[in-house]
Amino acid sequence: MANEDTRPLTLRDVSEASGVSEMTVSRVLRNRGDVSAATREKVLEAAKALGYVPNKIAGALASQRVNLVAVIIPSLSNMVFPEVMTGISRVLEDTELQPVVGVTDYLPEKEERVLYEMLSWRPSGVIIAGIEHSEAARAMLKASGIPVVEIMDVDGTPVDSMVGISHRRAGREMGKAILKAGYSRIGFMGTKMPLDHRARKRFEGFTEALAKGGIEIADQEFYSGGSALAKGREMTEAMLKRTPDLDFLYYSNDMIGAGGMLYLIEQGIDIPGQIGLAGFNGVELLQGLPRRLATMDACRLEIGTKAAQIIAGLVEDPKSTVEKIVELTPTISYGDTLKRR
Amino acid sequence: MANEDTRPLTLRDVSEASGVSEMTVSRVLRNRGDVSAATREKVLEAAKALGYVPNKIAGALASQRVNLVAVIIPSLSNMVFPEVMTGISRVLEDTELQPVVGVTDYLPEKEERVLYEMLSWRPSGVIIAGIEHSEAARAMLKASGIPVVEIMDVDGTPVDSMVGISHRRAGREMGKAILKAGYSRIGFMGTKMPLDHRARKRFEGFTEALAKGGIEIADQEFYSGGSALAKGREMTEAMLKRTPDLDFLYYSNDMIGAGGMLYLIEQGIDIPGQIGLAGFNGVELLQGLPRRLATMDACRLEIGTKAAQIIAGLVEDPKSTVEKIVELTPTISYGDTLKRR
DNA sequence: TTGAAAGCGCTAACAA
DNA sequence: TTGTTAGCGCTTTCAA
């Protein structure tokens, strides 16, 4: 039976209904300490009959333990963070810990607010995307006294530990592969980057690699907002109108790359002969496209997995030592749009 | 300065550092009650200097108020729920409330666990996808004594209130439009549906509409897992091999529809002359495809918005009356793949 | 405008 | 194996 009035049920209600002390009821409900089968039975029955749901707020305050892991990411709407979340969830499912996500929309101020908000719930750990944070945010993370893992990127210094790839290196590798394949008139398309540090670092690594080969980017364009697939299509069309002699297009993510690819196929352009293409991320989506876009896996699943493992390990044994820096190595898949050499 | 030891800071620390009573510190930090500008200043300074982050666990227990809204959805990895989330977040951002999401993977047992878990934090409201829940889940929702909004679907009876579309009607409307356009050899592709009630209802409505026109589905296939785009491609190829005389393909979501469309274009099949296509959802992604797939908007943003408004209204004034059933009406967009008649 | 006391619902620690 | 007592860190309530 549901309770008749609106007052939420408490342990005391279950205690009274079952004739067992609050403390013992608490023990039964948490499977802690020795309780006789008979008492246990009585308690469980009463709790179920009443429809009692424990109050974790009170429990957490009393025990000084909150089995929550704050996960702070820029966005849920592209494909990358859901996959990181999958990795995190899989690991945490085998523990007492639960992820709670906060979204920052790539805004530093919002990141700060979200972090403050989440820390005020006293989570057991924090997983946060990126290593660029405001001074205040870094201070909060440091002062929190809980395990902190910064993810996605390893080009910089972590507050505590970090798991990710070097985006600068990723950009460089792709640049080298493109040069090696013999392309030389290269266009770049990507998001407006002031706040997307990882995209910026890839771009920097990329131009650096080209420069080493004595080549400069021949054209570039940046977008923000809208359907990425459509943007890729539009930008590609515009860029080829503007700079018709390009022989390679490097996209800062797979979605715009896919849009570009669909456009080029429609135009009957030979890929990768006349124009080569590459994106970044290795999204599953690509598998259904007419050609497999060349791309680079960002190791999203492993990043989530590894980060969660670090937190879980540290929560279980705070004095255990863990790797402070875990750099994963993305690999290029050439697909059908980048000549192999 | 960050605290030197590991003990988290408390109000008392701020009180001592500022020479102001805990109570007044609390008032300053929450902007409640009258506090002189001088005291206020002192407190804020001390709190900032210490790097104090309030403990919401304790605050929530004392005030019996938790400004969290539990949002329980089946998945984050398709496009539909992130957009619902966007609607919810936008509305809640103007209030004290914060969404906290739980994911069920379309599993009733997991839904039950997640719900129990979230309710144990005593949120101010619940937004939960679907109207099919286990008996236990419904009981918990009822007993919780907080506002509950079931979203996405209105074909059934809500625990409290619901906001969504009629998927049965959506399927029917699409069936009617297809018949009206003159198609008659119709194939269906979709997810395995035992647990995706909304897909099942669309399918039922669809076959019902066809039956009224004296037509039966000529072929059908169901999938689970994998890249939806790739699956759409594969299933379409297989189905057309098996049943070459089909003149229409109805997909239970846009992603597989897009995969099918890409395949048909490659095969040089005339769309929508030789074969017509339709999907479901109106995902933004479609905008970049070679043709605009016929689809039906599922009103995801409005669903999120409306649901959050109901919760926010009820939290502000628990005795305010709200619509218990909000049925939104999806509209067909014919795109380039369904003849208009 | 400020402060003191009481207690939110639970669990740690100890006692029986 | 079970129960009792004393808080967890804050806010409510009431008094000054």
Side-chain angles (χ1 to χ4, degrees), chain A residues 193-331:
Chain A
M193 294 181 289
L195 297 174
D196 187 343
H197 300 281
R198 295 178 286 287
R200 175 178 52 76
K201 288 172 185 174
R202 288 198 297 279
F203 182 65
E204 286 167 5
F206 185 66
T207 54
E208 187 189 316
L210 296 196
K212 266 205 182 120
I215 284 181
E216 274 196 2
I217 284 188
D219 197 352
Q220 61 192 56
E221 187 166 342
F222 304 94
Y223 77 101
S224 64
S227 154
L229 205 65
K231 283 288 175 189
R233 173 183 290 272
E234 293 160 17
M235 286 194 297
T236 303
E237 179 170 8
M239 186 174 287
L240 287 179
K241 290 241 161 78
R242 198 164 56 218
T243 320
D245 66 334
L246 295 177
D247 64 5
F248 200 93
L249 301 173
Y250 181 41
Y251 297 89
S252 83
N253 69 63
D254 283 346
M255 274 310 240
I256 55 175
M261 171 162 83
L262 290 174
Y263 170 76
L264 294 177
I265 290 174
E266 274 169 48
Q267 301 299 308
I269 289 171
D270 169 30
I271 308 171
Q274 189 177 345
I275 298 188
L277 303 174
F280 180 81
N281 254 336
V283 306
E284 199 190 32
L285 174 79
L286 297 180
Q287 288 173 26
L289 294 173
R291 315 270 161 89
R292 288 169 308 138
L293 182 68
T295 189
M296 208 162 195
D297 177 30
C299 307
R300 301 185 297 285
L301 200 66
E302 301 93 302
I303 288 176
T305 305
K306 190 70 202 169
Q309 281 166 349
I310 291 179
I311 298 282
L314 246 20
V315 167
E316 191 167 329
D317 173 13
K319 38 185 129 309
S320 67
T321 49
V322 295
E323 297 169 86
K324 287 293 176 192
I325 299 181
V326 180
E327 178 173 353
L328 273 19
T329 352
T331 49

Side-chain angles (χ1 to χ4, degrees), chain A residues 53 56 117 120 122 233 288, chain B residues 53 56 117 120 122 233 288:
Chain A
V53 176
K56 287 217 178 183
E117 195 67 35
S120 73
R122 299 290 187 267
R233 173 183 290 272
Chain B
V53 176
K56 288 220 177 180
E117 195 67 35
S120 73
R122 300 288 186 268
R233 174 184 290 273

Side-chain angles (χ1 to χ4, degrees), chain B residues 226-340:
Chain B
S227 153
L229 205 65
K231 284 286 176 191
R233 174 184 290 273
E234 293 159 18
M235 287 195 295
T236 303
E237 180 170 9
M239 185 173 287
L240 287 179
K241 289 241 162 76
R242 198 164 55 218
T243 319
D245 66 333
L246 294 177
D247 64 5
F248 201 93
L249 301 173
Y250 180 41
Y251 298 88
S252 84
N253 69 63
D254 283 345
M255 272 311 237
I256 55 173
M261 172 163 85
L262 290 175
Y263 170 76
L264 295 176
I265 291 174
E266 273 168 51
Q267 299 300 308
I269 289 171
D270 168 30
I271 307 172
Q274 190 177 344
I275 299 188
L277 303 174
F280 180 81
N281 253 336
V283 306
E284 200 189 34
L285 173 79
L286 296 180
Q287 289 173 24
L289 294 174
R291 316 270 161 89
R292 289 170 305 140
L293 182 68
T295 189
M296 207 161 195
D297 177 29
C299 307
R300 301 186 298 285
L301 200 67
E302 301 93 302
I303 288 176
T305 306
K306 191 68 202 174
Q309 281 166 346
I310 291 179
I311 299 280
L314 246 20
V315 167
E316 191 168 329
D317 173 13
K319 37 184 131 308
S320 67
T321 49
V322 296
E323 296 170 86
K324 286 293 176 191
I325 298 181
V326 180
E327 177 172 354
L328 273 20
T329 352
T331 49
I332 293 182
S333 40
Y334 286 78
D336 309 314
T337 69
L338 169 55
K339 287 182 275 184
R340 198 166 207 136

